[in-house]
Amino acid sequence: MVYETGNRTIDGAVERVLAGERLDRTDGLALLAQPVEELAAAADFVRARFGDGTVDACSIVNAKAGDCAEDCGFCAQSAHFDTGIDTHGFLDPEEILAAAKRAERDGAQRFGIVVAEKGVSKERRPEEWRDVIEAVRLVRDETAVEVDASLGLLTEEEAEILVDEGLNHYNHNIETSRRYFDEIVSTHDFEDRLHTLRVAKDAGMDLCAGVILGMGETPTDRVEAAIELQEIGIASFPVNVLNPVAGTPLGDADHAAISTTELVETIAVYRLLHPEARVRLTGGREVNLRPDEQHLPFEAGADGVLTGDYLTTEGQSPGADIEAMERAGLEPNMATNEFDPEAVKARDRDDSAVGTPAESARIDASDD
């Protein structure tokens, strides 16, 4: 099938993607320069050809909050910055299970166990490692959601154990391009992140790895980050937009350094560069897009979402996410979790969601 708009750059790119060819850096930069309406429509066309017409939802729990030794300039959980967040050690595995059950009820297909530290270490912190494994087992055995995790740097042994325990996806974002990375982080380097992704993939996990947009990077950085992820091979491409947090080096900005048009263009290019991945809308979209703009990324090739609250900030409610995807002509993925979308939207209207994921877990656990 020939895709024809009269825009030779876009038409040629779509034709090559449909033929199984992988676009490169030059293609990505050329596409970013095209009119946003035509680019978004082309990306949506590619999504429809490679996808299933649904939006896959994941949810996360902040399993260990704050006091992180790394100095990522966007992060409220770094011990290097005074951000005033509440900190806590690794949650009781039963609390994590409660959060997973809540996510399942709200329509998530995946549930991520996330920690704020350079890496959960089986050797240095064996008690914490045992709690991680217990939490994975509980979510695996007592819910229908697929269990994912973001645990920082991994050894080969740790990765193999996690696979044996049934961990499906490993999340480890590269955040930005190789060139710009040192402007954001100094306590570890870009190659550290790529190494962990390779270790996780070699052990048998699918990868969830993406970026944060609007941190001062250039459009070229945005494309180059996506090309790095092509080389690794990812199943899910989370796209965060900076939500500046007071106290961090990036906290003085009023908003992310990216416009709505630039965000939609970037999402569309990511779809064309990664036609078979879930391009997933994650943190920051609810503060950088107006309510009447939330559907636009779904019309530009996005087909995944991180729903509910994030690690230290409030996110978008599951009901609002379902309404945004439906406005774009898509529907929630029910392959894993046959939930009732109308019930989720009704709970949203009843304003039943309370607190951060950790707080919600404690509330739900106390109600069991």
Side-chain angles (χ1 to χ4, degrees), residues 81-99:
F81 318 131
D82 183 10
T83 60
I85 67 163
D86 292 332
T87 64
H88 61 76
F90 197 83
L91 294 175
D92 186 282
E94 290 289 346
E95 294 182 87
I96 293 173
L97 174 62

Side-chain angles (χ1 to χ4, degrees), residues 54-58 109-110 278 280 303-306 331-333:
T54 71
V55 176
D56 183 84
C58 66
Q109 287 75 56
R110 304 184 184 281
R278 288 277 185 180
R280 191 176 302 275
D303 61 351
V305 67
L306 172 57
E331 60 185 32
N333 180 13

Side-chain angles (χ1 to χ4, degrees), residues 214-248:
M215 296 193 294
E217 76 286 345
T218 67
T220 300
D221 290 318
R222 295 165 190 163
V223 170
E224 290 184 343
I227 298 299
E228 291 276 5
L229 293 171
Q230 275 186 343
E231 298 299 323
I232 293 289
I234 59 173
S236 178
F237 191 152
V239 182
N240 297 274
V241 189
L242 179 68
N243 182 0
V245 176
T248 65

Side-chain angles (χ1 to χ4, degrees), residues 104-327:
E104 181 178 34
R105 183 195 70 175
D106 285 340
Q109 287 75 56
R110 304 184 184 281
F111 178 77
I113 300 169
V114 182
V115 303
E117 60 188 345
K118 187 169 188 175
V120 171
S121 174
K122 176 177 177 291
E123 296 301 323
R124 294 194 303 274
R125 290 182 294 279
E127 292 183 2
E128 182 176 284
W129 176 258
R130 286 194 293 270
D131 282 342
V132 169
I133 298 304
E134 178 63 17
V136 170
R137 290 173 178 170
L138 286 172
V139 176
R140 178 197 68 195
D141 294 342
E142 299 192 30
T143 74
V145 297
E146 295 188 3
V147 57
D148 304 339
S150 179
L151 307 172
L153 305 184
L154 287 178
T155 66
E156 292 179 5
E157 179 191 11
E158 290 164 352
E160 289 169 0
I161 291 171
L162 290 170
V163 169
D164 289 342
E165 293 293 344
L167 200 71
N168 300 107
H169 280 67
Y170 197 74
N171 169 252
H172 198 61
N173 291 336
I174 62 171
E175 315 302 6
T176 188
S177 71
R178 184 185 295 269
R179 181 200 72 84
Y180 197 61
F181 188 85
D182 289 348
E183 299 293 323
I184 304 299
V185 186
S186 71
T187 49
H188 61 274
D189 60 32
F190 192 78
E191 191 57 41
D192 289 332
R193 291 191 176 250
L194 296 185
H195 176 72
T196 288
L197 289 171
R198 295 187 190 105
V199 167
K201 188 167 188 177
D202 288 347
M205 286 179 271
D206 286 332
L207 300 183
C208 174
V211 297
I212 303 174
L213 301 177
M215 296 193 294
E217 76 286 345
T218 67
T220 300
D221 290 318
R222 295 165 190 163
V223 170
E224 290 184 343
I227 298 299
E228 291 276 5
L229 293 171
Q230 275 186 343
E231 298 299 323
I232 293 289
I234 59 173
S236 178
F237 191 152
V239 182
N240 297 274
V241 189
L242 179 68
N243 182 0
V245 176
T248 65
L250 298 177
D252 292 337
D254 293 330
H255 52 76
I258 186 170
S259 68
T260 297
T261 297
E262 290 173 321
L263 174 58
V264 173
E265 290 170 340
T266 304
I267 292 285
V269 170
Y270 286 170
R271 165 54 60 208
L272 294 169
L273 293 174
H274 290 266
E276 298 186 30
R278 288 277 185 180
V279 178
R280 191 176 302 275
L281 307 177
T282 50
R285 69 189 188 280
E286 66 293 327
V287 297
N288 286 287
L289 293 173
R290 299 192 311 265
D292 63 347
E293 295 175 331
Q294 296 293 324
H295 66 290
L296 294 178
F298 292 120
E299 295 176 354
D303 61 351
V305 67
L306 172 57
T307 195
D309 289 338
Y310 307 125
L311 297 178
T312 61
T313 58
E314 292 183 358
Q316 191 145 285
S317 70
D321 283 332
I322 291 173
E323 289 176 351
M325 65 183 74
E326 288 177 343
R327 182 173 176 181

